Amino acid sequence: MQRKSGLLKAMAVALSLALPTVLAVSAADARIGGGSSSGSRGTRTFSAPPSTSTAPGSASQFNRTITQPGQPGGFNTAQPSRGGLFGGRAGGLLGGLAAGFLGAGLFGMLFGGGLFSGLGGFASILGLILQVVLVVFLVRMAMAWWQRRNQPAYASGPSPADGQQGFRSGLGGFGGFGGSSNAPPLQIQPADYEAFERLLGEIQQAWSNEDVGRLRLSSTPEMASYFERDLEENQARGVVNKVSGVKLLQGDLSEAWRENGADYATVALRFTLTDKTVERASGRVVEGSDQPQEVTEIWTFLRHPGADWQLSAIQQVS
């Protein structure tokens, strides 16, 4: 009995220490996106965006994404290619030749000629291997050159040398801009930054009002599906998350590029908001408070030709 009593006391102490932390995490994660990293950044989904003065830390990897490695749209169901000498696209050729080589050797063994007699001895085998390695090396060099040639162009926005200080630079707006590139740049204009700031407020408001229609207009189908799932979970719990007073303090461009005819822009956002979760029936606050809190996140926006910007991803900063 004494052992059980001591164990229960220890569990009670541990629970009392862990409960505030759990509640704090729940309160912090109540806002849109659940405080996690969700969405897609095209071919750069699995590449960390460059850090900025607004978000000097590193962006968290995605907890939720439909994108598969090596496929921008997330529709690749094939197994990832193997690395190493016998892996990859060019390695498939080497692997096939090696398989034929081993098959010829085994065939020779079965008929009493030895493992390598089918290919004319060790010198012939060594020459074959050297030729295959040379061919694979040349193929991989050609593929690397082709990939560099067709890599999506990095963006550059207006630079200080152009006499522009950025859209509402410093506190209260976007500051820095992206670097230069030899490729034709994707220009992020002041009107684009205004759209990013507007979407920040509109999406938070739509989330607070549980306006699924507005979320679908302002977000990509992938992000909208995550938001809808989170709203359904809140409904099942009998609560609603209320976000208000969203105010952008600072923002800057991490990177922008164009791929497959669409424009992408990843921006770091530091903003304040009031985040609380209340019971639907009574209105009692169960998480969060009326006190404003400061948040820094990295948002990626996507724009198709002739369409408006939409939210494509949210990443937390570690």
Side-chain angles (χ1 to χ4, degrees), residues 237-311:
R237 293 172 52 200
V239 299
V240 57
N241 181 225
K242 292 294 184 181
V243 177
S244 60
V246 180
K247 180 181 179 181
L248 178 66
L249 300 179
Q250 181 176 334
D252 50 15
L253 178 67
S254 173
E255 59 179 345
W257 69 101
R258 179 177 291 115
E259 66 177 60
N260 297 327
D263 297 338
Y264 286 85
T266 296
V267 297
L269 302 171
R270 184 166 63 88
F271 55 95
T272 58
L273 79 168
T274 299
D275 179 10
K276 63 181 181 181
T277 302
V278 301
E279 289 183 343
R280 293 180 181 272
S282 64
R284 181 177 64 90
V285 177
V286 295
E287 296 173 355
S289 67
D290 291 319
Q291 296 298 320
Q293 59 176 287
E294 185 174 303
V295 177
T296 299
E297 294 178 332
I298 297 177
W299 287 32
T300 296
F301 299 93
L302 166 67
R303 179 176 60 186
H304 292 288
D308 296 328
W309 288 103
Q310 290 183 310
L311 176 64

Side-chain angles (χ1 to χ4, degrees), residues 71-142:
Q71 185 75 13
F75 301 108
N76 183 17
T77 57
Q79 294 294 328
S81 58
R82 294 179 293 129
L85 187 61
F86 293 97
R89 298 177 182 176
L93 173 63
L94 181 56
L97 291 175
F101 158 69
L102 291 177
L106 292 175
F107 183 81
M109 284 186 63
L110 290 176
F111 287 90
L115 179 61
F116 302 120
S117 61
L119 292 179
F122 182 76
S124 298
I125 296 169
L126 182 60
L128 173 63
I129 292 176
L130 292 176
Q131 292 179 47
V132 170
V133 170
L134 179 61
V135 170
V136 171
F137 176 73
L138 294 175
V139 169
R140 288 193 170 180
M141 285 187 60

Side-chain angles (χ1 to χ4, degrees), residues 167-252:
F167 171 60
R168 294 174 60 194
S169 61
L171 291 180
F174 287 92
F177 296 88
S180 61
S181 171
N182 294 329
L186 168 63
Q187 296 290 343
I188 301 299
Q189 304 294 341
D192 299 320
Y193 290 103
E194 293 176 2
F196 301 156
E197 183 174 6
R198 183 178 66 254
L199 284 172
L200 173 67
E202 290 179 353
I203 292 175
Q204 299 282 4
Q205 183 179 7
W207 164 263
S208 183
N209 296 335
E210 298 183 322
D211 188 346
V212 175
R214 173 56 61 180
L215 289 173
R216 290 175 178 173
L217 289 175
S218 304
S219 309
T220 61
E222 178 187 2
M223 288 299 291
S225 68
Y226 298 144
F227 296 153
E228 292 181 49
R229 187 183 310 169
D230 295 339
L231 290 175
E232 290 173 357
E233 292 180 358
N234 285 345
Q235 292 175 359
R237 293 172 52 200
V239 299
V240 57
N241 181 225
K242 292 294 184 181
V243 177
S244 60
V246 180
K247 180 181 179 181
L248 178 66
L249 300 179
Q250 181 176 334
D252 50 15

Side-chain angles (χ1 to χ4, degrees), residues 29 31 35-38 48-63 250 252 254 266-271 294-299 314-318:
D29 292 353
R31 65 182 183 272
S36 62
S37 297
S38 305
S51 59
T52 69
S53 59
T54 300
S58 59
S60 301
Q61 295 182 350
F62 286 104
N63 307 109
Q250 181 176 334
D252 50 15
S254 173
T266 296
V267 297
L269 302 171
R270 184 166 63 88
F271 55 95
E294 185 174 303
V295 177
T296 299
E297 294 178 332
I298 297 177
W299 287 32
I314 296 177
Q315 289 176 273
Q316 305 304 313
V317 180
S318 58

